Structures are given as structure tokens and as C-alpha cells.
Amino acid sequence: MSLISGLEALTDKMLNAFSKRLVLFTVIGFFIFLSLSTLSFSPLPWFDEVFFADLSHSYLYKGGFYLKFSPIFNKTELLFYGPVYFWLQAGVAKLIGFQVFGFRLVNFISGLIFLLLFRQFLKSLGIPKLLTTMAAVVLLSDPIIQSNLHSGRMDFLSIMLCMAGLMVFLAYTKKSQVALIPVSSIFFALGFLTTPRILFFLVPVFLYLLLRFRKDYLKSLLLLIACTAFPVFLWIFSRFGNPLVYVNAFLANHAVASHIGPVRNSFSFFRYPQYILWYAMVIVSTVLQLRFWILKKRFNLDAAFFLLVIVFFHFLVIEKGPYSAMVVPMYAGLALVTWLEIREMSIWKVFYKGLFILNFFLFSGIFSLKMGIALANKSKTSEQKFLKILPSDLLRGKKVVASFEYFYILNSLDCRYYGFQLGPVDRRIQFHFKDVDFDYLLLSKEEANCHQFIEYQRGGKLEKVCEVNMPDDNATSFVQFATSKLHVIRPDYSGILYKHIR
């Protein structure tokens, strides 16, 4: 009877765990569906995305990485990031066209793959499946991760490639298949050649692998590092001449150097008020790990890895965008490996479980509100509706200076697009009116009322052609109320079109 009772209890436990995972996977699927549904219009295009999209467009049609939408900002090729992201975006554009959904899809899919790989990595560290799934749900609803998923950036592609490299090498240590070493190194190299910012992750990864496998796989690790370095240095020598010129190129460019912590002497660990629960878990986990290391002489290499990534990120990277999306999973990783060590102590078990659950409800609330506003505001952010109102025939094939949100729309009309806001105002006015001799100026309502437009009116004769007012719908009152209470700007394609009178 005791054996039967034991089997029944085990069966009930397994079914209970299965049902919980099923619920969590359903939530994940729902989050992905909502995120994908709003990908093309939430948010509207802005500077960062247009910057990368313009470089991708340049590579696709001119074969070089030039900033066509504002050549006065940088007249030579922009090679800081490496070519991988732009190669991939050009390939996607050839398949499905150059438009906002396709451009954002690369980072979106990369982010989902990264979270999947990260969950597998947590499982390999001995963390129960249910907890890894719960962590994936919390991370997917995280506001900064969501912001990055909805942007035409390269962050998730880079860290996804490097996480793939880590997982492939871990697979090699289990199977001893030498062919996996160059595969792993290719992933690492591609990650770096997507953006060198990923150094905050790569350096701790190589240190982690050296400490974990130095006895049995030292030669393999040295081969991995050499194979990773080869394509990176091949790119550096072919495009910059030598590594010193490469490093100086970053330091000499003020816009690039302003993103590097040691250059600016600017380091910040607590960047977002909504992350108070994440920060609490990181601080408590760090204190507990230090206690284990100092008092109990128990060194947790996995915790040290996550902590080192966190420190490197906040030391090297100045937050000027949703960059923290790359490091937030490490907060969860540090918390979970610490939980493994203290899970027998009920007080800490309740603490970690409680903070994860609170984070889920906090982030899910923010996520639901943002998605609700985006969907309710669809009438104001529809490209199709905008194009029906805009006098497209006037603009087709013309030179147009415009706000960032109109980048994709104007490219679809074969316009030569120039950014309204990039560089000093006086230089821009001279460049746009004299050098470009643009045909039309298309500004959002907000930028048409800014001081810079007054300066443009003094720079040359502008004649108002029409206003493009996006229609309201039944949800307008809700969106107006929500955005006013949250003190956020309501996304809106409405704008004003001006003609340049020669």
C-alpha cells in the first residue's frame, strides 16, 4: 500500500508540475502573440532604428555602410558595429521587402531564441524546469526587454549568437566532437562582429569556461579563443589596418565614445525605478554569495559568472537606449543559482519566490497596459491609413527632409530621405537647402511646432501643402486618458507637409 501511495503522490506531483508548465507556456505564447501583433507600429520609428535601417539600406543598394540620411554627420563608412547585422538585414529585405515589420523581426526573433537558449543554460546548471520556465515568462514580460524586442536594433542578435556559442561549446565538453569547436567560435565571432558592445558578455564567458574546464579542455579552449579571434582580426585588419586604429576610431568619435563607461567615467547600476525588485534580488544574491565565499570557502562559479557579466555591463555600457535588455536575464540567473544553494532555508525560498511572482505581476501589468494602448491607438499609427491621406504622387521619387517616423514610408515611395534632426541646426539648414536642395519637408505635429522648424523657415522659403491628420476611433478617449495619466507621448503619424519653393 505504501508503494502505491508513493506512486500516486509522485504522479500527482508530476501532473501538478506539468499543469503549471502548461499554464506558463500558454502565457508565453500569449505574450509572443501580442508582441508580434504590435511589432509594426509600436513604437513608431525613432532615431536609433532609423540610424541602423539607413545603414542597412545603404549596404543593400550601395554596397557600403554609409549614413545616407545625414551624410554631414558622417561622410565615411560607419564600421564600428561590424557587418553581420547589416548583412542579415539586407538578406531579409531582399526576401520580404524593406519595411518596419521585417526590419524589427530580426531582433525580435533573435530575442526569443536567446531566451530559449538562456533557459536551456539555466537547466544545464541544475535549475528545475518549472523555475526556468517561470524565469522565461518574467523576462518576456520585462518592459526593457519588450522595448528592445520592438526595436530595429542589434542587441539581441549579438547576445543570441554568443549564447549559442556557449551552448555549442558546452555540448562539445559532453560529446568531445572536435568539429563543435570551430562552430562555437564562429558564433562568438559573429556576435562580436554584430556589435563590439558584447565584450561585456564575451570576456566573462571565456573566463568562465577557462575556470570550469581548464583541467580537461585547456587546449580546446585555447583553440576556441584562437578560432574566435581570427575572423575578428581579419575584419579589423581589412577595414582599419591594425587594432590600434580600430580602438582609436571608437575613442575619436564623440558620439560613439559617449556610450563607453570608462571613457565617460560614468557608471550606473540602478537605472530604472521599475527594476527595484530585480535590484533587490541582485543585491541579496551578491551578499549571500560573498558570505559563502568568505565565511564558508564555497565558491560558486556559476554565480560568479552571472555577477561578472552584470558588473562588466554596468561598467562598460552607458545606457542610452534599451541596452539593459542584454543584462536583465543575468539578474535572473544570479538569483536562481543562489536560490539553489539556499532553497532548504524556508525564509530565502519565500523571498526569492515572492520577488519573482511580484515581478511577474508588475511586468505583466506594464506589458498589458502598453499593449492595450498600442492596439487601441492603431488608427493613429497605421502606415496604410497614412499613405491614403498623404499626397503620395507629389512625393514619389523626390528628395524629402522628414521626421524619423516617416523613414520607411518615404522609402516605400522611392524618396531620397534626409533626417530632419541630426547634427547642428545651422549646418543642417545649409546642407538641406543648399547641398541637397530638397523638394519637400514632412514633419510630425510635434516637430512642426519646435524651435528648429522656425530656424528652417528662416533658411529658405517653405509653403504648406497640407496637414495629414490621422483618424480617431472609438478607443481614442481611453488612449488620451491613459497617456495623460502616464505622462507619455501618444504615438501619431499625423504631420504637416511643406514644399521647398526655389
Side-chain angles (χ1 to χ4, degrees), residues 18-45:
F18 175 78
S19 64
K20 286 180 180 178
R21 284 203 299 273
L22 182 63
V23 169
L24 290 174
F25 279 123
T26 302
V27 173
I28 288 174
F30 181 66
F31 283 174
I32 292 173
F33 172 76
L34 276 183
S35 297
L36 203 57
S37 300
T38 58
L39 190 63
S40 62
F41 57 86
S42 177
L44 295 182

Side-chain angles (χ1 to χ4, degrees), residues 90-372:
V92 172
K94 286 181 180 179
L95 288 174
I96 63 176
F98 195 81
Q99 30 83 14
V100 61
F101 180 83
F103 195 78
R104 292 178 178 178
L105 195 61
V106 170
N107 197 52
F108 185 84
I109 292 175
S110 298
L112 296 183
I113 296 173
F114 165 70
L115 290 177
L116 180 64
L117 291 172
F118 187 71
R119 178 175 176 266
Q120 291 299 115
F121 179 61
L122 293 178
K123 284 168 61 179
S124 73
L125 300 181
I127 297 168
K129 288 182 180 180
L130 186 62
L131 271 180
T132 63
T133 308
M134 183 178 176
V137 172
V138 175
L139 291 171
L140 190 58
S141 64
D142 183 284
I144 305 302
I145 287 178
Q146 274 293 323
S147 177
N148 205 308
L149 285 173
H150 276 239
S151 67
R153 296 184 55 82
M154 56 186 60
D155 305 311
F156 275 128
L157 175 63
S158 181
I159 198 166
M160 180 271 288
L161 289 167
C162 290
M163 180 57 72
L166 174 59
M167 297 304 292
V168 170
F169 189 81
L170 291 177
Y172 159 72
T173 61
K174 293 179 180 179
K175 300 177 181 179
S176 296
Q177 295 180 0
V178 179
L180 291 176
I181 296 177
V183 174
S184 177
S185 67
I186 287 170
F187 278 123
F188 284 132
L190 290 175
F192 181 87
L193 293 174
T194 299
T195 172
R197 184 177 288 125
I198 201 62
L199 274 174
F200 84 88
F201 183 73
L202 275 178
V203 172
V205 161
F206 285 130
L207 288 174
Y208 172 71
L209 292 175
L210 283 168
L211 289 172
R212 183 172 172 178
F213 299 113
R214 65 185 184 279
K215 292 181 180 179
D216 301 317
Y217 297 101
L218 183 59
K219 290 182 180 179
S220 300
L221 282 165
L222 293 176
L223 178 62
L224 174 71
I225 294 171
C227 290
T228 300
F230 179 75
V232 171
F233 280 100
L234 189 65
W235 165 259
I236 290 173
F237 279 104
S238 66
R239 303 311 293 265
F240 292 89
N242 63 69
L244 287 178
V245 175
Y246 176 68
V247 173
N248 286 332
F250 285 87
L251 301 178
N253 188 304
H254 175 73
V256 175
S258 66
H259 290 71
I260 305 172
V263 175
R264 289 289 304 276
N265 292 318
S266 176
F267 318 114
S268 175
F269 281 81
F270 307 109
R271 297 173 174 179
Y272 295 103
Q274 65 267 37
Y275 275 3
I276 184 169
L277 298 177
W278 276 137
Y279 298 145
M281 278 192 276
V282 169
I283 292 170
V284 170
S285 299
T286 302
V287 170
L288 287 172
Q289 289 298 335
L290 288 173
R291 182 173 175 270
F292 296 151
W293 299 343
I294 296 171
L295 299 181
K296 298 187 177 183
K297 308 300 181 184
R298 196 167 72 209
F299 180 75
N300 187 321
L301 182 60
D302 301 324
F305 165 65
F306 287 121
L307 187 57
L308 192 60
V309 174
I310 293 168
V311 171
F312 264 50
F313 176 87
H314 290 286
F315 179 73
L316 292 173
V317 180
I318 294 178
E319 189 86 342
K320 293 195 173 184
Y323 307 148
S324 286
M326 295 188 288
V327 76
V328 169
M330 309 305 154
Y331 298 165
L334 176 61
L336 288 173
V337 295
T338 304
W339 173 86
L340 275 180
E341 291 192 87
I342 47 85
R343 64 182 183 272
E344 302 303 326
M345 301 167 64
S346 59
I347 185 172
W348 291 116
K349 184 177 180 180
V350 171
F351 172 81
Y352 279 99
K353 187 176 180 180
L355 288 191
F356 262 101
I357 291 172
L358 285 173
N359 248 353
F360 170 71
F361 283 111
L362 172 64
F363 294 162
S364 295
I366 295 172
F367 173 79
S368 300
L369 186 59
K370 287 178 68 175
M371 291 296 107

